[in-house]
Amino acid sequence: MLIRRGDEAWWRSLAPPDVAWPGLGMETLRADPRDYRMEDLPDVRAVLQVGAPESYEIAFTPGQVINQGSRGACVACTDSHIASIYNLFDEGRWIDHDWLKLYTEMGGTGPNGVDVRGTLQKCVDLGCPRLGAGERDKFARYAFAPLLLGQFEETLKAAIAVNRPCQLWLLLPSLFGWESGGSITSGYHSITAVGYRPDAVKILNSWSAQWGRGG
């Protein structure tokens, strides 16, 4: 999702992030016509043609849930979680990834966020580094859902329904946890969408296994 940068009055009306929250770290993402489109992926397109199921959840048991602490590293953490989920599919085991190394490679120093597209492209070109090893796991590709009401939700559901975990960027609600709600805040955060039902999205966050229900 994109932050509405042009509407300064709307931006100022947002509540500040909860001071009790750990790090965030999203940089503003702008739409780019050169982006690969999620709806062009053959498996996603096939589901869009027939309609996604009402509810779906990617079946996996997370290993180590990342804890980014106070660092603005949510983008690197999300990519690392996605790499670990694909390891489960490809190798039958959860492999922890070095999110901190990926974050610092992208210019992260602690409080700052890093570029979304640049981090995704690094995971395509070089791979997401495994923790404590010299190996890296490459992403085959990445693509973006259309930023249109209705199409965005349906495309996201179609991707999840074919077991593609999705990086989701959003302004956090004031109540952010297992049951979220309340007013919109200015806290811009990256999380991994791994399931949905008619009234909710199930996510994997990077605030440790103590957050929500096991992370």
Side-chain angles (χ1 to χ4, degrees):
M1 289 185 175
L2 302 184
I3 285 182
R4 294 167 52 187
R5 283 294 289 271
D7 192 343
E8 296 301 326
W10 173 84
W11 181 255
R12 287 194 297 270
S13 72
L14 297 179
D18 189 327
V19 295
W21 289 345
L24 301 174
M26 275 292 301
E27 288 191 349
T28 301
L29 178 68
R30 293 185 178 275
D32 190 321
R34 297 170 296 180
D35 284 333
Y36 296 108
R37 305 191 313 168
M38 195 181 293
E39 63 269 34
D40 289 339
L41 300 176
D43 53 353
V44 175
R45 187 188 315 122
V47 175
L48 285 170
Q49 289 172 349
V50 300
E54 184 176 63
S55 301
Y56 190 86
E57 184 176 327
I58 298 174
F60 76 99
T61 301
Q64 178 181 319
V65 177
I66 292 170
N67 182 9
Q68 70 184 87
S70 61
R71 297 179 180 88
C74 60
V75 170
C77 294
T78 301
D79 288 337
S80 296
H81 272 152
I82 290 173
S84 295
I85 293 171
Y86 277 119
N87 286 139
L88 272 176
F89 296 160
D90 297 337
E91 302 182 30
R93 62 193 179 109
W94 179 281
I95 297 173
D96 294 323
H97 287 79
D98 196 338
W99 59 272
L100 185 55
K101 180 177 181 178
L102 181 61
Y103 173 61
T104 55
E105 286 177 345
M106 293 304 301
T109 61
N112 66 300
V114 296
D115 179 66
V116 172
R117 288 186 185 86
T119 308
L120 286 168
Q121 192 62 49
K122 179 174 282 289
C123 289
V124 170
D125 295 338
L126 296 178
C128 187
R130 293 188 180 188
L131 186 64
E135 300 175 79
R136 303 178 77 113
D137 293 304
K138 289 186 176 183
F139 290 178
R141 64 184 65 84
Y142 62 90
F144 292 82
L147 293 172
L148 298 171
L149 187 63
Q151 290 186 35
F152 175 83
E153 292 86 347
E154 291 305 311
T155 305
L156 193 70
K157 287 161 59 177
I160 293 171
V162 291
N163 293 319
R164 291 184 180 271
C166 296
Q167 188 172 128
L168 184 63
W169 314 295
L170 71 161
L171 291 169
L172 296 183
S174 55
L175 303 175
F176 183 50
W178 179 251
E179 297 291 342
S180 298
S183 58
I184 299 173
T185 75
S186 59
Y188 198 25
H189 192 43
S190 174
I191 53 181
T192 308
V194 295
Y196 65 87
R197 64 188 193 208
D199 62 339
V201 176
K202 186 173 184 179
I203 65 166
L204 178 60
N205 196 11
S206 52
W207 289 355
S208 86
Q210 306 307 312
W211 180 88
R213 295 188 182 178

